[in-house]
């Protein structure tokens, strides 16, 4: 069917976002991962995930345009431009300074994969712990680590993404196997029983989830870059 999972071909554009890669692998976004406009990406997110086009997604999509010289579209690979949306201490990709900030990396992903031991789900507390642990790991290996409030904000949003889209936006609980398939295979775990959120993910419930993650994070800025900045062009 139109939305069957299909592995990308070597010429298809994929990038550092497992969410958008997954939408492309299922044909909610163009399967070639290119020429993505703001309406196209917002519609795909709504169709695939029942995630409404809230301000936060609009801003994210607009920032995506800064990662390319094209005037009104981006490719999934463009999004890897370090310092616009792409940041250090990712959940499933290495830091830019350490080599490959685009492709899934099982070693990096181990921290999230092994979190919340003893149960079969991730939740708000485990997500916050993973954010802190990834940062601690990176402080050891990346002398150029950038960790300002901007990076923290984006990282919290991304944790909210996997908890709500693979799990439940209201409880913040997401089955481990769904989250792992999403990251490792960039596939919707439909055969495993995943269903698109019944409740629309929107401004109110998503903001609440983000506050809850924020509240259990003991974060402090670190490194030489203290003031948040956004890279405006390639
Ligand atoms: C990460 C772009 C929407 C899930 C990223 C990254 C970019 C990006 C550039 C890389 C950041 C990094 O880890 O260094 C976008 C844009 C979006 C969008 C432009 C649309 C406006 C979504 C949605 C989901 C999602 C709807 C839902 C599942 C994630 C996750 C990560 C991520 C979980 C973290 C990956 C990691 O830390 O390894 N996104 N994204 N994104 N995105 Fe998206
Ligand atoms: Mg990154």
């Amino acid at each position: 069917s139109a939305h069957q999972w299909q592995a990308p071909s070597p010429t298809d554009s994929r990038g550092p976002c497992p969410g958008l890669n997954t939408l492309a692998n299922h044909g909610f976004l163009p399967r070639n991962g290119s020429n993505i406009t703001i309406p196209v990406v917002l519609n795909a997110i709504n169709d695939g995930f029942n995630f409404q086009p809230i301000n936060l997604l609009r801003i994210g999509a607009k920032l995506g345009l800064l990662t390319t010289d094209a005037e009104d579209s981006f490719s999934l690979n463009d999004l890897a431009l370090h310092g616009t949306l792409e940041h250090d201490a990712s959940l499933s990709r290495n830091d830019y300074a350490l080599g490959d900030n685009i492709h899934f990396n099982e070693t990096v992903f181990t921290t999230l994969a092994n979190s919340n031991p003893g149960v079969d789900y991730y939740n708000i507390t485990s997500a916050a712990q993973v954010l802190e642990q990834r940062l601690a790991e990176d402080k050891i290996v990346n002398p150029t680590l950038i960790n300002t409030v901007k990076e923290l904000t984006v990282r919290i949003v991304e944790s909210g993404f996997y908890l709500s889209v693979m799990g439940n936006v209201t409880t913040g609980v997401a089955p481990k196997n769904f989250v792992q398939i999403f990251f490792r295979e960039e596939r919707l775990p439909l055969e495993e029983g995943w269903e698109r959120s019944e409740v629309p993910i929107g401004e109110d419930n998503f903001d609440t989830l983000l506050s809850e993650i924020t509240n259990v994070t003991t974060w402090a800025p670190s490194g030489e870059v203290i003031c948040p900045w956004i890279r405006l062009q390639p």
Side-chain angles (χ1 to χ4, degrees), residues 84-216:
T84 305
L85 284 161
E86 200 282 318
H87 55 78
D88 292 329
S90 297
L91 302 167
S92 66
R93 270 72 172 164
N94 220 331
D95 287 1
Y96 175 73
L98 302 178
D100 181 354
N101 64 339
I102 298 176
H103 298 96
F104 175 80
N105 180 313
E106 184 68 45
T107 307
V108 171
F109 186 63
T110 304
T111 304
L112 169 51
N114 292 348
S115 66
N116 225 20
V119 290
D120 61 3
Y121 57 86
Y122 304 119
N123 61 16
I124 290 163
T125 312
S126 73
Q129 286 167 348
V130 169
L131 289 175
E132 291 179 25
Q133 201 181 327
R134 282 291 302 122
L135 201 54
E137 291 162 1
D138 267 13
K139 283 178 184 170
I140 298 167
V141 292
N142 184 1
T144 72
L145 171 68
I146 299 176
N147 172 39
T148 76
V149 67
K150 185 192 97 172
E151 285 73 24
L152 175 74
T153 306
V154 175
R155 294 171 68 231
I156 287 176
V157 169
E158 291 161 355
S159 296
F161 281 161
Y162 77 76
L163 291 177
S164 60
V165 166
M166 283 300 116
N168 184 306
V169 67
T170 311
T171 60
V173 170
K176 284 181 175 176
N177 65 326
F178 293 177
V179 172
Q180 292 178 14
I181 289 165
F182 167 78
F183 275 98
R184 289 192 174 118
E185 302 176 40
E186 302 189 327
R187 171 168 78 74
L188 298 174
L190 290 159
E191 298 98 272
E192 291 80 4
W194 176 86
E195 287 174 55
R196 179 176 179 267
S197 179
E198 215 166 282
V199 182
I201 305 170
E203 201 93 57
D204 288 354
N205 53 19
F206 195 69
D207 275 359
T208 303
L209 177 60
L210 296 185
S211 313
E212 286 168 351
I213 302 170
T214 306
N215 286 343
V216 288

